[in-house]
Amino acid sequence: MTTAALLPLEQHESPWPAADTVVLRNRPLRVGTDPAMLSRFGDPVWHIKPAHPDAHLNIAALIWARYPNTFQLPFKTFFLAALDHPYPGDPAVQRGGERAGVATFRYWFMDLEIFAKWLDDHGITRLCDVTAQDLDAYRAHVLGLSRKEGRKIDMLAAVRTLWLYGPHLPEEGRLSTGYPWPGASDDDPKRPAEGRENKTPRIAPETMTALLAWALHVVESVGPDVRDAWVTHQQINAGVHPSQAEYRGPTFDRVLQYIERCRRTGESLPGLRQKDGTVTVNCNAIKRMIRTPELKVRVGITPSQKRMLSDSGLPIAQDTYVGQIAGMIDGRPWRETPITLTELRTLVRMVAAACFVVICYLSGARPGEVLNLRPGCREVDEETGELLMVGRRGKGFDRASLLPEEVTEDQRPWVVVAPVHAAIALLESLGDYPFLFPASFTNAHAARPNEFNARQGWSINNDLEDLLAWVNATFRRPGEALPIPPDPTKHLHASRFRRTLAYFIVRRPRGLVAAALQYAHVHTKVTLSYAGRSDTTWMDDIHIETLELVLEQNEQDARLLNEGEHVSGPSADEYRHRVRARARFAGRVVTAGKSVERLLDQANPNIHHGEGMTCVWRRETAACRQARLEAGLPAEDGPDESECRSACTNLAYTDRSIVEQRLRLKRWEVTAADRLAPRPLRDRAAALAAGSRAIIDAHGHTTDSNNQTREH
């Protein structure tokens, strides 16, 4: 959407743009923008946030009072040209055709402010009067500043950008010199090489596992109770709750009707706890409940009516309750007392934070992509039945925040798991908001209204910290450890979720993981979401985590083998050969995803430690692969533990495997001897026990590579 096009610069009598020129006239605007509120060329402050596609970012306004008066007009003209036209071709770096994002303007504004003030301090009042000698003097000034090298580069680049837009500027407002500083010299500032290494620290496994588990608890058990209380509170405030329909007449009559209702239903009067600990009648809550006539809203309940409530003989509750408890955690209600009005806003924020954990972590989406999700983003693929989450891309210069009917390629789906859909549905049921995560569910600030802004990244990070503290304070039992242990590295940040998810997917912890949610399932869904897309950072994270796991496993396997760990099974010799061949790794610096892939190919022995066994993978002899082919399923190029066959020739058993087999044997023997268990279950347990016993016996009587018989 754009505003009505005004006359181009060259058609005005003045070489400068007219004061009423809309500065965002050629930019697509965010949905909900009021055209009448758009900034004009002559305004002392330009608000360019409506042209940024991300509703969770707060783009700083351009405040022209920071520039010298003599340079406000020419630099305003430059920024208008930069908003109107694509970035010109740079003689050094060809970027022609790209349109500068409005977030970039904040940095250009700061860098060119320094240039404008330097010109003003040196008596230069027009850009066209700047000489090559002046530019060299300014360059020397920048190089002498106590700034980081990268900042110096940006300050000089901003002047080059000003020169590049010269064809779109009046003669008086352009640099008339040649291209500034075209040749590199020895004293040029050097930007430090950073490479493509992902420096985002993972969240500690103990913290992340507990955080996800409790987020799921909150979504499933706490969320519906909080939602019902919040909806009831909103309906009472709006005067549309079903219980309010019976109140008629003036306020006095309504108070009497309310007293009679409480006597009839056995309800207590809502309480309000004072600072001294006493509890009085919450008259404001009663005023909302009885729908005080509009003319009496400011007056509310009179002193005589308050005495009537106090003298009614009705008990006064310890607080104002707005919701009941129905959700259960571990077989009992998640709290003993009903939800109170004073804590409702906090509980809504905690439920939203839990939903964010589930959606962001289990989808693999970036925090900004999740914060920009809108209601109705749940979909199901008609052909495959896959659950989808549809939002907008979080990267790319050509992203646009167009009106819904204009959005096409900017939308993208994520393939997700069922808990993500459940969390989205819960957020949608909280009320009619334009975003799943509005600027505020409860009291949005006028400067960041809900209808235009989503919750900011720093706010959701604070919510995550508060969620952790709230869970630990609410659900910790005496004498037990914290439900969610704090992360030892740093505070929780949403940007750490993707790296942590990659870690868990590669490691695939065994046993009950976050309410039986299988990371293998999430791996399939999330990887499918990113397959074939231009965003390769997710797969880079997967490869890096896989490489780290392989190197750690190689080191451990080689150390244990040298210490005398025994290996049995049909692939025992191949296991020992691969471990010894790949054990040594001196270390190598990698700066790109392809380098990680090549190093992974060199270091990976394709040995997979499973539950009570080890797979020395060979696709030609893999029984699990053959089983999938016989069932008409696609064969994966890796072991499938769910299809593992005890007769597979890829199997090997280490001493670590036998420890697990002994534990399993005890469990199977107990089940097989349980006379109260169904016969088929006992027979199956007996068969599994016999299989484990055979593996243990064979391991104890086989010989290792130096022909020594092992007796266990």
Side-chain angles (χ1 to χ4, degrees), residues 355-367:
C355 290
F356 180 86
V357 171
V358 173
I359 296 171
C360 189
Y361 182 66
L362 293 182
S363 69
R366 293 180 176 83

Side-chain angles (χ1 to χ4, degrees), residues 439-478:
S440 173
F441 283 97
T442 57
N443 50 349
H445 195 280
R448 283 187 59 79
N450 272 343
E451 63 271 15
F452 190 69
N453 295 284
R455 198 154 185 78
Q456 291 181 280
W458 66 268
S459 295
I460 203 67
N461 289 334
N462 289 342
D463 292 344
L464 294 177
E465 284 290 323
D466 291 344
L467 174 65
L468 184 148
W470 176 77
V471 168
N472 286 340
T474 304
F475 298 102
R476 185 181 187 182
R477 297 176 182 174

Side-chain angles (χ1 to χ4, degrees), residues 91-144:
V93 181
Q94 292 297 323
R95 291 176 50 191
E98 295 184 13
R99 186 180 293 271
V102 293
T104 305
F105 283 53
R106 170 192 174 190
Y107 303 101
W108 286 358
F109 190 83
M110 292 188 299
D111 293 337
L112 290 176
E113 176 190 348
I114 297 172
F115 182 52
K117 289 180 177 179
W118 184 89
L119 294 176
D120 187 62
D121 290 343
H122 287 74
I124 302 173
T125 58
R126 299 190 307 171
L127 287 175
C128 62
D129 294 335
V130 176
T131 65
Q133 291 74 19
D134 294 329
L135 291 179
D136 289 339
Y138 177 70
R139 178 177 178 276
H141 167 72
V142 170
L143 296 181

Side-chain angles (χ1 to χ4, degrees), residues 139-155:
R139 178 177 178 276
H141 167 72
V142 170
L143 296 181
L145 295 175
S146 57
R147 305 286 181 90
K148 293 183 179 180
E149 294 297 284
R151 288 292 300 121
K152 296 178 182 179
I153 293 174
D154 293 338
M155 292 167 63

Side-chain angles (χ1 to χ4, degrees), residues 298-311:
R298 291 187 178 181
V299 177
I301 297 177
T302 64
S304 63
Q305 293 164 358
K306 293 179 181 178
R307 287 193 298 270
M308 185 168 57
L309 287 166
S310 300
D311 297 340

Side-chain angles (χ1 to χ4, degrees), residues 62-76:
L62 308 184
I63 304 174
W64 291 107
R66 296 171 54 177
Y67 275 65
N69 291 333
T70 54
F71 283 106
Q72 288 184 14
L73 185 60
F75 279 97
K76 276 186 172 184

Side-chain angles (χ1 to χ4, degrees), residues 537-595:
T537 57
W538 167 252
M539 296 308 299
D540 288 345
D541 285 346
I542 290 290
H543 290 146
I544 290 173
E545 293 296 341
T546 303
L547 177 60
E548 288 186 6
L549 173 63
V550 166
L551 297 178
E552 292 172 8
Q553 178 181 294
N554 288 356
E555 181 181 0
Q556 182 186 36
D557 289 346
R559 177 178 55 81
L560 292 174
L561 203 59
N562 291 333
E563 292 175 357
E565 182 179 48
H566 181 49
V567 185
S568 63
S571 285
D573 290 339
E574 181 65 17
Y575 172 88
R576 286 187 284 265
H577 170 72
R578 293 190 188 184
V579 168
R580 287 165 178 157
R582 305 293 178 98
R584 293 180 59 83
F585 179 74
R588 184 177 303 173
V589 176
V590 292
T591 59
K594 290 295 183 182
S595 300

